[in-house]
Amino acid sequence: MASTGDLEPTHYPARRAAQVALHYLNTHHGSPFRVFGLQQVHKASAEDVAAGGRKYKLDFSVTDWGSGSAGPALRCSADVLFPRTERHSAPEVQLHCEALHQINSTAQEEDAFYQKYISPDSTVSARDIPDSFGNMSEEMQPFWRLARVAASFIMLRESSENTEFNMAKVASVTQQESSEEQLMLEFVVLLHDFPSQEIVQWKLLASWSPDRGVRVLQTEWQPRCPHATKPPN
Amino acid sequence: MKGLLVLTALCVAVFGKKTFEGNQVLQITAKDEAQISLLKELSEQEHLELDFWREPIHESLPVDVHVPFHSLQDVRAFLGNNQIQYDVMIMDVQVLLDDEEREMVKYRSSPKSTDDFVYTAYHNLSEINSFINMLVAENRKLVSKIVIGRSYKKRPLNVLKFSTGANRPGIWIDTGIHSREWVTQASGTWFAKKIVKDYKRDPVLTDILNNYDIFLEIVTNPDGFAFTHSKNRMWRKTRKPNPGSKCVGVDPNRNWDAGFGGAGSSGNPCSETYRGPRANSESEVKAIVDFVKSHGKLKAYVSIHSYSQMLLYPYGYTHTPAKDDAELNELAEKAVSSLQSLYNTRYRYGSIINTIYQASGGTIDWTYNQGIKYSYTFELRDTGTYGFLLPADQIVPTAEETWLALMTIMKHTRKNPY
């Protein structure tokens, strides 16, 4: 049962749409040193659109995970369109954030990280980030963030009004041979969907460099025996 | 020296990558200033990666150096060629670290009292059960343990009762009904200790306990909890097999007799929100139902989950607002405000169905329909960054801030008897 017009910002319909906008923001501006999280939805409204979908208009604030929810917040506005089609199709997002280019640059850390791992000898390989106790080494943190950004491509694509995705953990990261001066990483990630409470496993191949940002080249849903639950869509 | 080793051992335990196999610690005795100069030159050879625990300063002071395995040959040759005397203090640093680790683990697993218990770490089922027994033994006048039933695998369902007199109305708190939500069981142990610490010290809590009993079930789903330690950290449900299906378990928070079977739960045993074959089919749930009914005088009921930082009240199974919606909303706002006052953690609040999602067969919908007006569900930290895998250093801050909200709810219950 969906309401049209103004939405209560703290209720889930607005929040789910805002999360979709966040995934979109991270695919464009996320990096090994930057992941954005939702701080608060200020205003939201929704309406059915002619072509048979539902469009949300949102006014919200985001913070960089690095600085925590108490850190400086960026104000954003977004239109999120959930198409209503027979088979699921990805939501469409238009997003604008104030002062996006004024946030503290992470160029130095990105370059150092890139230089360290682009060498042909580099063969990073790790599992369980974080571990059961929430621990993660400092060395693994940029990989964790990269995985989160790459996973945002999947979460964005798979989202609907009935999902609310987060990345639960990185099951594994395996560095592949660099290509075209891009770091190539194969990730297996576990995503958590709130409404269904399901844990969904995806394998993906991503590339990154400071210039080109994150790109996702391949994704593959992985059934987890014996539950083998398909992704919510 | 020992302190440094312990610190290193902790770092090794946490980061898990670095090994000190074959490394040695040498104690060098320089006989004159010339030898000191040589040792200073040695210390500047960066490629050797020497770690001086006591730097070369003066010939009267021993020089201790931690030498990585790959540099040992070079260092010994250097010392030999220059006739500088030395002894091997530690033959293999890793062996020493392993011994220390074993000692530390042993110590951690068996605290001698609840003051020794490490609240800043996650514990397993047997550690929490030991904690419960110790707490009772240390506070016999205030605390007792009630076993309200058994899990599917026959584990005891332990409830702590905090009571200062007979025939009192009660307040119920449970944590860990969903086993993967580890910060909740961890917070539960902290709450238990907090209650005994604050009784007769904090006037508000003392007043509450002089009029109400508090019941606290820390590991509400012990089979699931054991499974998160042994096999699958992401396990949520009970561990009861489902006949005719290869999938195990029922969602204990969809198994209650309130809107049972409706939208917001699944009929598929393979689903994380599988409601079960019938209401109260799970012994973990039935035990609480029986307890609540036979007690008959519970006035507040709080069920604690993670994650997403929310304080929720009924209903989850229907859009019809609860009769006491206005009061529950106002109290939630106050509780969330006290919570936020400590570390500025932001919570959202509202009815389940509006704030989080439609969910049928949920705990507090049932308890509310039984007449327990102050029925609340918490979703603790965080909002998705770590999710279920919340780092242990957030356990105590989470418990501390949540306690403020719990006190607000309990205080309101005490001041508004019904």
Side-chain angles (χ1 to χ4, degrees):
Chain A
M1 198 187 88
S3 48
T4 301
D6 284 340
L7 300 174
E8 177 57 52
T10 58
H11 290 179
Y12 70 78
R15 194 178 59 246
R16 287 182 195 172
Q19 269 293 101
V20 170
L22 254 300
H23 294 320
Y24 179 89
L25 175 62
N26 281 321
T27 60
H28 281 73
H29 294 279
S31 81
F33 295 91
R34 176 144 292 133
V35 176
F36 289 103
L38 178 66
Q39 187 198 59
Q40 204 185 351
V41 178
H42 302 289
K43 271 170 47 178
S45 65
E47 58 177 1
D48 289 336
V49 294
R54 197 160 168 75
K55 185 196 267 197
Y56 290 72
K57 279 179 136 43
L58 305 158
D59 171 12
F60 56 101
S61 291
V62 306
T63 53
D64 179 1
W65 276 8
S67 31
S69 64
L74 251 63
R75 195 67 173 243
C76 299
S77 62
D79 284 358
V80 177
L81 171 65
F82 292 105
R84 295 264 170 82
T85 48
E86 274 281 308
R87 272 182 62 211
H88 172 78
S89 46
E92 292 162 31
V93 181
Q94 281 175 336
L95 173 74
H96 171 74
C97 292
E98 289 171 7
L100 199 49
H101 300 286
Q102 283 173 31
I103 42 178
N104 284 336
S105 168
T106 54
Q108 238 183 340
E109 295 105 309
E110 290 184 26
D111 275 329
F113 177 74
Y114 178 77
Q115 292 307 327
K116 184 169 179 188
Y117 292 104
I118 198 66
S119 108
D121 301 334
S122 178
T123 49
V124 172
S125 173
R127 308 190 55 84
D128 293 333
I129 307 156
D131 67 13
S132 289
F133 306 91
N135 296 320
M136 156 177 15
S137 68
E138 229 180 278
E139 192 193 355
M140 281 298 123
Q141 283 201 18
F143 291 100
W144 175 64
R145 275 174 255 163
L146 258 180
R148 178 54 164 77
V149 174
S152 299
F153 285 80
I154 300 174
M155 293 191 283
L156 174 61
R157 189 183 70 201
E158 299 296 317
S159 285
S160 73
E161 288 167 282
N162 301 315
T163 62
E164 203 171 332
F165 284 110
N166 272 304
M167 184 177 82
K169 99 178 194 176
V170 179
S172 69
V173 53
T174 318
Q175 186 170 9
Q176 310 292 303
E177 206 180 301
S178 303
S179 160
E180 294 173 27
E181 298 180 339
Q182 305 297 303
L183 277 187
M184 301 290 284
L185 298 161
E186 182 192 83
F187 290 110
V188 175
V189 296
L190 297 182
L191 306 180
H192 172 232
D193 170 55
F194 238 91
S196 66
Q197 289 294 337
E198 296 294 338
I199 303 285
V200 189
Q201 183 165 307
W202 285 86
K203 180 154 106 173
L204 61 106
L205 181 63
S207 71
W208 176 77
S209 70
D211 300 326
R212 272 219 261 166
V214 179
R215 305 235 173 132
V216 171
L217 308 160
Q218 280 169 38
T219 66
E220 182 188 315
W221 170 68
Q222 304 205 301
R224 297 173 75 217
C225 310
H227 273 233
T229 322
K230 286 214 183 67
N233 288 307
Chain B
M1 228 56 59
K2 217 97 227 280
L4 186 64
L5 266 179
V6 171
L7 188 63
T8 317
L10 277 172
C11 292
V12 168
V14 169
F15 299 129
K17 278 218 162 93
K18 199 150 197 226
T19 170
F20 298 91
E21 258 172 50
N23 291 17
Q24 293 191 342
V25 177
L26 309 179
Q27 183 160 85
I28 304 172
T29 313
K31 65 176 188 228
D32 55 32
E33 216 186 1
Q35 289 201 335
I36 289 289
S37 292
L38 285 170
L39 288 170
K40 283 187 180 160
E41 273 175 29
L42 182 70
S43 75
E44 276 150 24
Q45 304 298 309
E46 280 189 37
H47 67 283
L48 294 174
E49 292 184 279
L50 300 179
D51 170 24
F52 278 82
W53 291 4
R54 283 199 282 195
E55 301 275 347
I57 299 170
H58 189 272
E59 63 262 28
S60 63
L61 299 168
V63 176
D64 295 339
V65 58
H66 172 205
V67 184
F69 179 69
H70 66 78
S71 306
L72 262 176
Q73 220 180 352
D74 287 348
V75 170
R76 287 170 166 233
F78 176 87
L79 294 172
N81 293 339
N82 290 290
Q83 290 168 331
I84 302 176
Q85 217 188 358
Y86 70 94
D87 290 303
V88 179
M89 267 207 325
I90 299 174
M91 283 296 294
D92 186 317
V93 174
Q94 188 59 43
V95 167
L96 200 61
L97 287 175
D98 290 344
D99 288 341
E100 292 236 323
E101 165 95 42
R102 269 188 294 269
E103 225 190 328
M104 270 171 32
V105 167
K106 241 178 33 175
Y107 174 77
R108 262 186 48 185
S109 313
S110 35
K112 297 178 200 72
S113 76
T114 61
D115 287 323
D116 263 349
F117 189 83
V118 182
Y119 296 91
T120 50
Y122 289 108
H123 293 273
N124 62 25
L125 186 59
S126 74
E127 288 165 356
I128 295 180
N129 282 332
S130 301
F131 166 85
I132 287 171
N133 292 333
M134 273 193 305
L135 191 76
V136 169
E138 293 163 15
N139 300 277
R140 290 207 182 279
K141 278 173 64 179
L142 179 63
V143 192
S144 59
K145 179 175 89 172
I146 311 174
V147 183
I148 61 170
R150 298 254 154 190
S151 69
Y152 170 71
K153 296 209 179 226
K154 304 277 180 279
R155 293 185 167 97
L157 300 169
N158 294 320
V159 174
L160 284 167
K161 175 180 180 181
F162 302 85
S163 179
T164 65
N167 294 320
R168 300 265 171 88
I171 292 168
W172 170 283
I173 303 170
D174 65 61
T175 53
I177 192 170
H178 287 141
S179 37
R180 62 189 178 197
E181 298 165 8
W182 277 17
V183 71
T184 71
Q185 299 95 336
S187 295
T189 56
W190 190 92
F191 298 150
K193 182 64 172 171
K194 179 68 168 163
I195 294 171
V196 311
K197 277 204 306 205
D198 277 11
Y199 178 61
K200 290 203 178 145
R201 285 191 191 85
D202 174 62
V204 179
L205 179 73
T206 305
D207 176 60
I208 290 168
L209 273 172
N210 287 340
N211 293 278
Y212 287 75
D213 294 338
I214 298 176
F215 296 94
L216 175 59
E217 185 174 10
I218 298 174
V219 186
T220 306
N221 178 4
D223 293 349
F225 190 55
F227 199 71
T228 58
H229 279 271
S230 64
K231 290 269 167 24
N232 182 352
R233 175 64 177 83
M234 295 292 173
W235 191 260
R236 163 185 169 90
K237 302 189 285 182
T238 63
R239 286 298 300 165
K240 177 137 133 268
N242 294 300
S245 170
K246 50 177 156 47
C247 296
V248 174
V250 167
D251 184 343
N253 199 23
R254 300 289 185 280
N255 189 242
W256 301 71
D257 197 1
F260 180 84
S265 65
S266 170
N268 180 351
C270 295
S271 164
E272 295 281 24
T273 56
Y274 175 50
R275 63 179 76 105
R278 61 189 176 281
N280 303 329
S281 61
E282 303 312 281
S283 57
E284 296 85 350
V285 170
K286 180 84 169 46
I288 303 177
V289 168
D290 290 344
F291 178 84
V292 169
K293 282 184 167 163
S294 74
H295 187 281
K297 273 194 301 194
L298 292 181
K299 297 299 174 184
Y301 191 107
V302 181
S303 191
I304 302 186
H305 293 250
S306 76
Y307 58 93
S308 69
Q309 292 175 201
M310 294 176 178
L311 178 52
L312 307 164
Y313 50 83
Y315 286 108
Y317 73 90
T318 173
H319 283 280
T320 308
K323 194 168 45 71
D324 304 285
D325 185 278
E327 187 188 353
L328 291 174
N329 189 274
E330 200 187 310
L331 178 55
E333 189 184 15
K334 279 207 223 120
V336 154
S337 175
S338 358
L339 188 153
Q340 187 169 350
S341 71
L342 196 55
Y343 297 112
N344 203 30
T345 306
R346 290 167 188 251
Y347 264 56
R348 289 166 286 231
Y349 61 94
S351 67
I352 296 168
I353 197 167
N354 284 333
T355 314
I356 191 168
Y357 42 50
Q358 185 170 21
S360 62
T363 308
I364 65 167
D365 286 358
W366 181 80
T367 59
Y368 183 76
N369 285 345
Q370 290 295 298
I372 305 175
K373 181 163 48 155
Y374 302 114
S375 287
Y376 284 96
T377 285
F378 278 81
E379 293 276 357
L380 303 186
R381 292 194 193 181
D382 58 17
T383 54
T385 307
Y386 289 95
F388 300 119
L389 306 181
L390 195 70
D393 62 12
Q394 289 198 46
I395 294 172
V396 171
T398 301
E400 288 174 332
E401 67 192 9
T402 308
W403 184 248
L404 297 182
L406 284 172
M407 284 294 285
T408 304
I409 292 170
M410 293 197 290
K411 193 163 112 179
H412 184 94
T413 305
R414 157 82 181 112
K415 287 200 176 332
N416 296 275
Y418 61 93

